Amino acid sequence: MGNFSRPTCLDDALRNMENGSWRILAGGTDFYPAQGDRPITENLLDLTAIPELRGISQLDDGWRFGGLTTWSDVIKASLPLAFDGLKAAAREVGSIQIQNSGTIAGNICNASPAADGMPPLLSLSAEVELVSPSGTRRMPLDDFVTGVRSTSCRPDELVRAVHIPAVSTGSRSAFLKLGARRYLVISIAMAAVLIDSNDQGKITRARIAVGSCSPVAQRLIGLEQRLLGESAASGLSELVTGGDISVLNPINDVRASASYRLSAAEELVRRALEEAVRPGVEAS
Ligand SMILES: Cc1cc2nc3c(=O)[nH]c(=O)nc-3n(C[C@H](O)[C@H](O)[C@H](O)COP(=O)(O)OP(=O)(O)OC[C@H]3O[C@@H](n4cnc5c(N)ncnc54)[C@H](O)[C@@H]3O)c2cc1C
């Protein structure tokens, strides 16, 4: 049986981490199911009593989501339209009980190919802030998750926050997920889209990410570039081609075949693009 510690401030957590190796525990909604009936032998460092790790704030250069921010916190927050995709993903994470406990850091650190938070966070150009007893560092989310269940987080580090660069008021976003049933389901495929446009309605930035169709959620960079200068209006989906989707590398598993996943991803990207440019969307 390992040790259990539940510090109430970050400094105490970091002091703990100087002595021995600790497994970070947030909401536990990935950790405990993976543990099953096996006894816990690791030292557990529970971060849930550290208020400074939780909450969403607007900074001069963007938005800061504390690592311990729960999916319910994301859903309830008043955020610009650019975050609609992230909010839609938050509503898809398990059930309300799971959303009340599950955190943004836990989702990205668990590094599941089916993590619902990944595509919208990639579309928002998220950066991950890591802290250890020896200092802090920041890296793009694209570099943080390196493979299935694999991240750049060192054993002596924890995720303090996820940063989103400033979003323009004209940014629109969408997230769509396909599972074998409507609710409480691991995704077969999902797509997140973020579109910025200028006063003439032309696209100035497009970010499109697909999850559950490769070891790590992946951006469709070719499509993103092709959309630049196009009208941010109905019909955008017609510009998506099978070639855009061919950069994905899905697996066959019990949930779906690889070819079904590719078809689903293409359709989800098309629908998410149309949703993101649909007029008259109000902030949620
Ligand atoms: C019934 C059920 C349904 C679910 N449905 C979905 C779903 O639909 N979509 C989805 O994406 N996920 C789903 N999940 C998975 C899970 O709820 C989410 O991934 C959640 O965001 C995990 O957050 P957590 O705080 O509970 O992580 P934890 O379980 O506490 O931790 C997960 C991993 O991340 C590490 N970790 C946590 N926080 C930090 C940190 N700050 N720094 C460094 N490492 C850290 C832990 O050591 C652990 O390895 C479901 C889980 C359950 C039990």
Side-chain angles (χ1 to χ4, degrees), residues 22-33 47-48 53 67-69 71 89 92-95 98-99 101-112 114-118 130 144 153-154 157-161 177 184-187 190:
W22 291 84
R23 176 76 181 270
I24 304 293
L25 184 67
T29 61
D30 273 316
F31 173 77
Y32 286 114
L47 303 181
T48 53
L53 289 179
L68 271 279
T69 303
W71 293 114
E92 296 280 351
V93 177
S95 58
I98 297 296
Q99 292 156 16
S101 300
T103 64
I104 203 161
N107 196 247
I108 61 172
C109 291
N110 192 53
S112 162
D116 286 339
M118 279 296 290
L130 295 149
F144 178 72
C153 190
R154 298 191 313 251
E157 287 180 314
L158 61 87
V159 171
R160 175 149 74 180
K177 162 173 166 175
L184 243 180
V185 69
I186 297 177
S187 69
M190 51 187 149

